[in-house]
Amino acid sequence: TQTQSIATGTADPISFFLKFRTEQTGTFEILKSSEDGQKLGFLFQIDDQNGYRCVFPTDEDGQILIPLLPGEYVVSEQELDRYRDIQEMKIQIRENETTQVQIENKLKKGKIRIQKTVLNPLNQVNFNEFNGVFQIYSTKYSSFQTAPELYRDQMKTDSSGSAVSKELPLGSYRLHQISSNPNIAFATDEIVVIDDDLQTVTIPLKNQLQQCR
C-alpha cells in the first residue's frame, strides 16, 4: 500500500491537502503440465465480478504469470478435444502476494478387449486360446518398440481367450500377435480405433487349429 499527498492552493493564502491510497496488485501464476508432455499454448480465461475478462496462453514452460488487482476471480481452461475437461476454479488475489495453481491435463482414454477363438477343423468346434500374447501400439509409430509407453501395451489371453489393455489415449492402434500355443495360427493384424473417452472396444479374433502333417 502506498500513500501520496498533494499540496496545492489558490492565489489566496488558503491551502489544502489531498491524500489518497493507491491499491497494489497481486500476482497470479499458473503452472501447466499434461500427460503427453505438452505445455505450450494452453488458453486460460480469467473473469471477475466487475466485468474483467481476459485470455492468456501458457508459454513453453507451461507458465502464465500476470498481475491482477486484489479480489476473487474465476479461472477456466478452453477445452481441447484430446483432454478430459478441467473444472473451472475460483482464486483469491491479495496485495503483494502470489497465488499459484498447478494444473495437469489428463488425456481422454479407452481400452481394447480381444476375444480369441480357434476352430478345430476336424470336429468344427471352437475353443478359446489361452496364453496368446498380443502387442498393441499407436499407428503413429512404426513398431511396438518405437512407440512410447503411453501409446502401447502387451496383453496375454486368459482361459476364456480374453485380454483387456490398459487405458490408451484416443486414436488408431495396431493389434499384433507375437505368441500362440502349438499348432494355433497367429491372428492377422487388426487396426482398432478408440474414439470415445472411457470406451472399451471389443475385437473378436478367429482362426483355426493347424493340422499336423
Side-chain angles (χ1 to χ4, degrees), residues 11 25 76 133 138 175:
T25 62
S76 56
V133 181
S138 170
L175 181 65

Side-chain angles (χ1 to χ4, degrees), residues 41-185:
F42 291 93
L43 299 177
F44 286 85
Q45 181 174 299
I46 301 175
D47 299 85
D48 72 3
Q49 296 178 344
N50 300 316
Y52 172 88
R53 170 173 289 183
C54 204
V55 176
F56 300 92
T58 55
D59 64 17
E60 61 185 8
D61 296 318
Q63 185 184 51
I64 296 173
L65 194 65
I66 52 174
L68 291 172
L69 290 173
E72 185 177 84
Y73 295 82
V74 176
V75 181
S76 56
E77 182 179 2
Q78 294 189 4
E79 295 179 9
L80 291 173
D81 286 343
R82 67 182 181 274
Y83 297 110
R84 291 172 178 165
D85 295 343
I86 298 291
Q87 297 297 315
E88 68 178 25
M89 66 189 74
K90 291 184 179 181
I91 61 164
Q92 191 72 36
I93 300 297
R94 296 179 175 84
E95 272 188 316
N96 300 317
E97 293 183 13
T98 297
T99 300
Q100 183 190 88
V101 295
Q102 298 184 23
I103 301 173
E104 182 185 13
N105 279 80
K106 294 292 186 181
L107 290 164
K108 293 179 179 178
K109 295 179 180 178
K111 296 179 180 181
I112 294 172
R113 176 182 177 272
I114 60 175
Q115 180 64 51
K116 178 70 184 294
T117 56
V118 180
L119 173 67
N120 185 338
L122 297 178
N123 56 18
Q124 297 299 304
V125 173
N126 287 307
F127 63 94
N128 300 317
E129 180 178 357
F130 180 49
N131 282 340
V133 181
F134 294 81
Q135 292 177 339
I136 187 164
Y137 59 93
S138 170
T139 56
K140 294 188 294 185
Y141 304 94
S142 60
S143 67
F144 180 83
Q145 288 73 23
T146 58
E149 188 69 25
L150 181 64
Y151 292 95
R152 69 180 188 182
D153 194 18
Q154 184 163 298
M155 303 175 286
K156 181 182 289 188
T157 56
D158 60 19
S159 59
S160 67
S162 179
V164 181
S165 73
K166 68 180 184 183
E167 283 194 328
L168 296 163
L170 303 190
S172 175
Y173 290 84
R174 179 177 296 276
L175 181 65
H176 174 67
Q177 187 168 9
I178 61 170
S179 178
S180 68
N181 291 293
N183 297 327
I184 296 179

